[in-house]
Amino acid sequence: MQVTIRDVAKASGVSPSTVSRALTPGGTVSPVTRERVRAAADRLGYQPNQAARGLITGRTGHLGVIVPDLLNPFFADICKGVQARARGLGHTVFLSDAERDEGLELDAIRTLAPQVDGIVLCSPHLSGEELGSLGELTDKPIVLLHRKEPGFGCVTADLVEGITDALTHLHALGHRRIAYVGGPRSSWAARERAAGVAAVAESGLVEIVQVGSVAHHIGTPGGVTGAADVVLASGASAVLAFDDIVAFGLMSRFAVRGVRVPDEMSVVGCDDIALAGMAAPPLTTVSVPKAHGARAAVDLLFRMLATPAAEGEQPPQRVLPTHLVVRGSTAALERR
Amino acid sequence: MQVTIRDVAKASGVSPSTVSRALTPGGTVSPVTRERVRAAADRLGYQPNQAARGLITGRTGHLGVIVPDLLNPFFADICKGVQARARGLGHTVFLSDAERDEGLELDAIRTLAPQVDGIVLCSPHLSGEELGSLGELTDKPIVLLHRKEPGFGCVTADLVEGITDALTHLHALGHRRIAYVGGPRSSWAARERAAGVAAVAESGLVEIVQVGSVAHHIGTPGGVTGAADVVLASGASAVLAFDDIVAFGLMSRFAVRGVRVPDEMSVVGCDDIALAGMAAPPLTTVSVPKAHGARAAVDLLFRMLATPAAEGEQPPQRVLPTHLVVRGSTAALERR
DNA sequence: GTGAAAGCGCTAACAC
DNA sequence: GTGTTAGCGCTTTCAC
């Protein structure tokens, strides 16, 4: 069976409590004893039982991360980042893929909450009310990643910044009429990005043609073909897409229609997923900090754990910068 | 604080053990009591503490999944599948990304093992010996996914089948000289696939030009540009790549060199990652069952948990079929 | 500085 | 069919 604290105690000739103290950072033991205990623990290959420890301390040593769809490289990247940071802080992470189903997502929160110290939640689809009533499900700290909602610790990216850069870049290339293909209406990120585009359009820098919203996911083409055709018919010379997946979908259709990117149509994505740079042509896109955001979310979670928010106090909200990555899918209009 | 079994016991006027029995599937309680207890549990929002339960039963209710790199959509897909199946079986899953570092991978096994009932391990890079000595680290059951090694429960895909289909497909299109760009030498999958290609080459169906091995990962281009140039210089009219990521890398270089796919060069990938169908042109590729493999691995793990292998007995090994998915990156040689 | 005892939330024997 | 008791592995008072 497993090596327990009593085995180590026997092997080093002390009591279990002394072993516990010797192995705990703040423990008050003589240096000699500590060394002896450590040696014995090493020799026996002792691994403290987290579950038993958690029963006493109230800390599980686990974190939860919930994403809507791991097939989307954007979220895979986030999970990787959360896991890496958690490991650095001595925690393990539970993964939950909600399969873009709100019921499953609520279930996941319910199941995970009692087993973790806190949760990093990527939830573009839950309504503000549902999110607000999460307090009834658990009092474990929850950090929202890439979503902002009052009452939560949040880490988001400043998309307006990146979108402005993208539109300015297209303007500099001579584009004046630019299509925007939005994401699913139910998505907070989609609404946020659409608002960002609208804000820049207000400034009158370029003319924006709104091409509705597509629910285009990996493995589930949702109207992106039609959207591409509308873009082509709109007279726009460039298109900005809700995310890189949509951008790929558009480029795919453009290829079928014989429209060359970037010569006849410039395309800009959003997210900068890992494969964006490997497409042909490589995608110009607004880079959203994925690993950085994940790290910030975990760090925020730990800060909330260390100093719980006072009654009525808002947990911190952090906004990360975005920037445009210019690659090969955008070109000057003159080339046309 | 948390609702405990004692709260439920008080609320329903029975003892804690009766509550435990009432809530356990096989428990021997009167139907009336069971109902009363259930109602009270529901009303109080009781969630049994898995950690405390595990301390007694020896079952944690957790599984671990370890992958070398979550950024690779192949592994993201696998994690999604493992998590989905585990959820269906009432288990939660710990995720660990080993960052293609064998030291981290061994650490992850050490850390995870005591906290889970079993582990699904995707380890292309650990040596056979390292794998063999895992028994010293833990006696929790481990299932190898997409790797075969004696002494382990394994789920793999029959690549020879898919590779044969791919080469036959290219042959039917008139291709006779076909390049193969292999994966990293340290990878079990790369060696396995290379052997598969070599086996088919033996049959004399087509001539295979070996173009060495590239260590091309997402975010880490490893010689794929050079490999693409070698392919171009080799006189081959088609190329089979170690995986879809390498295939994308090749296509990217071909685009830069002005070589059109599939008109001037046919490209076949391997894995069929979710984005393969969204590339321009969509990639013809050997489809490896990712979600299916993940499900099979979890199922195998549970079978091993239910009936531990007798001394010296080999755990089951399962081989899944693969098949070619023909898309737009391959075309008849005549078109050239 | 160290040991003894209590107990975290739960289940498994064992009585009744 | 149900309650009582013991104890999983650990940390944390409280003595000494």
Side-chain angles (χ1 to χ4, degrees):
Chain A
M1 254 301 280
Q2 199 189 168
V3 183
T4 80
I5 203 171
R6 306 189 50 167
D7 299 322
V8 181
K10 266 177 206 144
S12 47
V14 295
S15 76
S17 20
T18 301
V19 174
S20 172
R21 280 187 284 252
L23 267 23
T24 309
T28 155
V29 225
S30 84
V32 201
T33 321
R34 164 160 287 148
E35 223 18 79
R36 201 146 38 98
V37 170
R38 278 226 179 110
D42 271 17
R43 188 155 38 80
L44 299 178
Y46 170 68
Q47 291 275 102
N49 182 324
Q50 281 287 352
R53 170 180 287 174
L55 220 44
I56 296 256
T57 60
R59 285 297 172 87
T60 61
H62 307 321
L63 252 44
V65 59
I66 302 179
V67 295
D69 182 10
L70 205 49
L71 244 35
N72 185 333
F74 179 74
F75 294 115
D77 206 337
I78 282 176
C79 288
K80 186 179 173 105
V82 167
Q83 197 273 333
R85 187 55 146 214
R87 169 166 47 215
L89 295 166
H91 277 236
T92 42
V93 351
F94 281 120
L95 166 70
S96 191
D97 181 315
E99 303 182 16
R100 284 190 258 115
D101 175 318
E102 281 125 69
L104 277 183
E105 184 167 335
L106 259 9
D107 276 354
I109 298 175
R110 229 187 309 267
T111 313
L112 249 39
Q115 325 211 46
V116 301
D117 294 333
I119 293 179
V120 173
L121 179 60
C122 296
S123 181
H125 295 289
L126 239 39
S127 71
E129 295 88 63
E130 287 170 308
L131 240 24
S133 64
L134 244 45
E136 298 161 19
L137 250 49
T138 175
D139 32 47
K140 294 288 172 65
I142 296 180
V143 166
L144 259 29
L145 182 48
H146 295 302
R147 168 141 196 194
K148 201 180 289 185
E149 207 70 36
F152 286 90
C154 301
V155 174
T156 52
D158 179 9
L159 264 307
V160 173
E161 191 183 357
I163 290 172
T164 305
D165 286 358
L167 262 14
T168 306
H169 164 69
L170 290 172
H171 179 263
L173 288 173
H175 300 278
R176 291 296 175 270
R177 191 171 163 82
I178 298 168
Y180 177 68
V181 178
R185 273 179 238 289
S186 63
S187 157
W188 185 87
R191 293 193 299 269
E192 187 76 356
R193 290 172 188 192
V197 170
V200 180
E202 286 283 293
S203 75
L205 177 72
V206 290
E207 180 190 358
I208 297 289
V209 185
Q210 296 281 353
V211 185
S213 51
V214 297
H216 182 64
H217 304 291
I218 291 204
T220 324
V224 78
T225 303
D229 291 341
V230 173
V231 171
L232 257 21
S234 74
S237 60
V239 56
L240 176 60
F242 161 63
D243 69 4
D244 292 346
I245 308 289
V246 171
F248 283 151
L250 293 173
M251 292 207 291
S252 192
R253 176 61 178 173
F254 293 157
V256 170
R257 290 278 308 265
V259 175
R260 280 169 301 137
V261 175
D263 312 72
E264 300 172 80
M265 177 68 73
S266 283
V267 177
V268 178
C270 192
D271 281 351
D272 194 21
I273 60 175
L275 278 153
M278 307 188 57
L283 189 64
T284 294
T285 188
V286 175
S287 178
V288 173
K290 295 160 292 295
H292 184 193
R295 281 198 300 275
V298 172
D299 288 347
L300 179 48
L301 206 48
F302 273 83
R303 212 173 320 140
M304 289 169 68
L305 243 22
T307 55
E311 192 62 37
E313 189 192 344
Q314 281 289 325
Q317 315 211 131
R318 182 114 192 256
V319 180
L320 269 22
T322 63
H323 65 278
L324 184 70
V325 177
V326 178
R327 297 204 182 93
S329 65
T330 46
L333 188 58
E334 286 72 36
R335 273 221 238 163
R336 196 170 183 177
Chain B
M1 254 300 281
Q2 200 190 168
V3 183
T4 80
I5 203 170
R6 305 189 49 167
D7 299 323
V8 180
K10 266 178 205 141
S12 47
V14 295
S15 76
S17 23
T18 300
V19 174
S20 171
R21 279 187 285 249
L23 267 25
T24 308
T28 154
V29 226
S30 83
V32 201
T33 323
R34 165 160 285 147
E35 223 19 77
R36 201 147 37 100
V37 170
R38 279 227 179 110
D42 270 19
R43 188 155 37 81
L44 299 179
Y46 171 68
Q47 291 275 103
N49 183 323
Q50 280 287 351
R53 169 181 289 175
L55 219 44
I56 295 257
T57 61
R59 286 297 172 87
T60 60
H62 307 322
L63 253 42
V65 58
I66 303 179
V67 295
D69 182 11
L70 205 49
L71 244 36
N72 185 333
F74 179 75
F75 294 115
D77 206 336
I78 282 175
C79 288
K80 186 179 172 107
V82 167
Q83 197 272 332
R85 187 56 146 213
R87 169 167 44 217
L89 296 166
H91 277 236
T92 42
V93 352
F94 281 119
L95 165 70
S96 190
D97 181 314
E99 302 182 17
R100 284 191 257 117
D101 176 319
E102 280 126 69
L104 276 184
E105 185 168 333
L106 259 9
D107 277 353
I109 297 175
R110 229 186 311 265
T111 313
L112 249 39
Q115 325 210 46
V116 300
D117 294 332
I119 293 179
V120 173
L121 179 60
C122 295
S123 181
H125 295 288
L126 240 38
S127 72
E129 295 87 64
E130 286 170 310
L131 240 24
S133 63
L134 244 46
E136 297 161 20
L137 249 50
T138 175
D139 32 46
K140 293 287 172 65
I142 296 180
V143 166
L144 258 29
L145 183 47
H146 295 301
R147 168 142 195 193
K148 201 180 290 185
E149 207 69 38
F152 286 90
C154 301
V155 173
T156 52
D158 179 9
L159 264 306
V160 172
E161 191 182 357
I163 290 171
T164 305
D165 286 357
L167 262 14
T168 306
H169 165 68
L170 290 172
H171 178 265
L173 289 173
H175 299 278
R176 292 296 175 269
R177 192 171 162 81
I178 298 168
Y180 176 68
V181 178
R185 273 180 237 288
S186 64
S187 157
W188 184 89
R191 293 193 299 269
E192 188 75 357
R193 290 172 189 194
V197 170
V200 180
E202 286 283 294
S203 75
L205 178 72
V206 291
E207 180 189 359
I208 297 289
V209 185
Q210 296 281 353
V211 185
S213 52
V214 298
H216 182 64
H217 304 292
I218 291 203
T220 325
V224 79
T225 303
D229 291 341
V230 173
V231 170
L232 258 20
S234 74
S237 60
V239 57
L240 175 62
F242 161 63
D243 69 5
D244 293 344
I245 308 290
V246 171
F248 283 151
L250 294 173
M251 292 207 291
S252 192
R253 177 61 178 173
F254 292 157
V256 170
R257 289 280 306 266
V259 175
R260 282 169 299 139
V261 174
D263 312 72
E264 300 172 81
M265 177 67 73
S266 285
V267 177
V268 179
C270 191
D271 282 350
D272 194 21
I273 61 176
L275 279 153
M278 306 189 57
L283 189 64
T284 294
T285 189
V286 176
S287 178
V288 173
K290 296 160 290 295
H292 184 193
R295 281 198 300 274
V298 172
D299 289 346
L300 178 50
L301 206 48
F302 273 83
R303 213 172 321 140
M304 289 169 69
L305 242 22
T307 55
E311 191 64 34
E313 189 192 344
Q314 280 290 324
Q317 315 210 131
R318 186 120 186 252
V319 180
L320 270 24
T322 63
H323 66 278
L324 184 69
V325 177
V326 177
R327 297 204 183 92
S329 65
T330 46
L333 188 57
E334 287 71 34
R335 273 222 240 164
R336 195 171 183 176

